[in-house]
Amino acid sequence: MQHDKNLKKNFKDRGWALIKSVFSANEIARFREIANQLKTEQYTADLLGHPLTRSILFDDRILDVVRQLLETDELVYFGDSSCTISKTPGSAHFHKDNPDKLNGKGPDWQEEYPIIRLGIYLQNHDKFSGALAIRDRSHNTNDIKLGSPFYVDNQVGDLSVWYLTTTHAGYSKRLKLAPNFFLNTSLYRFVPDFMFVPEEQYRIAYFMTFGKKGPLLDRYLRYLQTREYMVQAWKKTKYDQSCFDFATSKNIELIDMYPKVKDVDESTLNRSHVELPN
């Protein structure tokens, strides 16, 4: 992929990017087949752990984007990826994914955040419900009400990317009478389902998270070790040597979290956000 000199600047300014036509329609169709196979196998661990999805996770086009945005050749991957399939509309609320959600003066807000998430949505959302929603330029504040909200109008083959500090909602819905008017996600519960535009087809998305080595990444991993959902995910992921070899071949530092969490008592973990001490 050719380097776009404006990609990094725009991403840093706005906190998100939509990169057009990264994958072909045939590739996306294959990704859907793989996702459905994973569901048949009841595979719920991360993308690196499965032979069919590790090449999606570490696709050179994705890694090239991540290296441009994080401005490093030394990427870190730590087992935070998934394939999600939803045949019924999901819930959506604006939120951030970094540790300092409440403390606006915490470490997360003192420098450019070194962890980003990417999403490959395997259906069009430019005219349909189910899109990622983002608050523009919301990545430098902990106030989730700041930033103009909008739908990410991705089409098949596009790649979405955002900072963990960017305010976003995972499953937005469009009104039939005004599909381009942004209805705040907090109001969905007051609107009957028949008034929303349906999805183009049932929603499948691949998500992956990468970081740049440093104190904020270390802190994020400490935070994730307090969260029930992530510890449960890591416990499902047991890498064999082929996973480490593949990461090495892609110049990725692979942090295996399974040994750190395998004996953790899940009853001690937080189901919702709890602030880390600074």
Side-chain angles (χ1 to χ4, degrees):
M1 182 182 294
Q2 186 175 6
H3 281 223
D4 180 352
K5 62 182 180 181
N6 294 318
L7 176 61
K8 171 61 179 176
K9 181 181 184 301
N10 291 336
F11 184 71
K12 187 172 181 178
D13 287 346
R14 306 191 72 174
W16 64 276
L18 179 64
I19 303 165
K20 301 295 293 181
S21 304
V22 175
F23 303 99
S24 70
N26 285 340
E27 286 177 303
I28 294 297
R30 176 59 178 155
F31 292 173
R32 286 191 77 91
E33 291 175 1
I34 291 171
N36 286 314
Q37 182 173 334
L38 262 56
K39 185 166 186 177
T40 299
E41 295 174 5
Q42 297 183 321
Y43 180 84
T44 56
D46 88 319
L47 300 179
L48 180 60
H50 197 289
L52 291 178
T53 51
R54 66 183 56 160
S55 59
I56 301 173
L57 172 69
F58 287 168
D59 186 286
D60 288 336
R61 291 162 291 185
I62 291 175
L63 299 181
D64 187 58
V65 167
V66 176
R67 289 188 169 104
Q68 288 184 58
L69 296 181
L70 292 181
E71 296 181 301
T72 182
D73 290 329
E74 299 176 348
L75 300 183
V76 181
Y77 176 70
F78 42 88
D80 186 353
S81 64
S82 64
C83 174
T84 65
I85 299 179
S86 177
K87 295 193 175 183
T88 56
S91 60
H93 65 280
F94 276 118
H95 65 285
K96 298 175 184 287
D97 291 323
N98 62 301
D100 286 320
K101 292 178 175 60
L102 305 179
N103 181 9
K105 296 184 179 180
D108 291 352
W109 310 108
Q110 303 308 311
E111 59 186 88
E112 183 180 342
Y113 203 67
I115 309 167
I116 59 177
R117 184 160 290 147
L118 304 96
I120 310 170
Y121 294 81
L122 307 188
Q123 54 285 317
N124 292 308
H125 290 298
D126 53 335
K127 298 182 177 68
F128 301 93
S129 288
L132 173 70
I134 279 178
R135 285 191 179 273
D136 194 27
R137 295 183 167 88
S138 60
H139 57 303
N140 293 322
T141 173
N142 73 312
D143 187 342
I144 63 171
K145 295 183 180 179
L146 293 183
S148 300
F150 67 97
Y151 306 111
V152 177
D153 291 339
N154 75 280
Q155 296 174 307
V156 162
D158 297 346
L159 180 66
S160 301
V161 55
W162 60 99
Y163 288 107
L164 295 194
T165 54
T166 301
T167 306
H168 62 284
Y171 204 112
S172 64
K173 300 179 184 180
R174 297 177 186 268
L175 291 169
K176 287 181 178 177
L177 294 177
N180 293 320
F181 169 77
F182 190 88
L183 178 68
N184 198 294
T185 60
S186 64
L187 300 177
Y188 289 174
R189 65 184 186 276
F190 301 115
V191 181
D193 283 345
F194 72 86
M195 295 184 69
F196 288 114
V197 177
E199 300 166 67
E200 181 186 43
Q201 51 187 323
Y202 65 86
R203 182 179 178 273
I204 303 179
Y206 290 95
F207 298 105
M208 56 277 300
T209 311
F210 294 92
K212 180 164 58 175
K213 189 181 299 186
L216 288 183
L217 176 59
D218 295 342
R219 191 166 183 272
Y220 180 58
L221 294 179
R222 288 201 307 274
Y223 170 70
L224 289 183
Q225 289 175 76
T226 72
R227 294 298 305 272
E228 182 185 66
Y229 82 95
M230 198 67 226
V231 169
Q232 289 174 343
W234 280 331
K235 284 185 175 184
K236 295 175 185 175
T237 300
K238 299 177 183 178
Y239 298 135
D240 61 22
Q241 188 58 44
S242 68
C243 297
F244 291 96
D245 292 343
F246 190 54
T248 299
S249 75
K250 297 291 185 175
N251 195 28
I252 303 286
E253 179 182 339
L254 175 58
I255 298 178
D256 184 4
M257 296 299 295
Y258 175 77
K260 302 177 191 295
V261 303
K262 63 185 178 67
D263 297 321
V264 169
D265 179 356
E266 294 178 23
S267 69
T268 66
L269 302 174
N270 302 319
R271 291 190 173 181
S272 56
H273 173 73
V274 175
E275 294 276 286
L276 279 180
N278 287 344

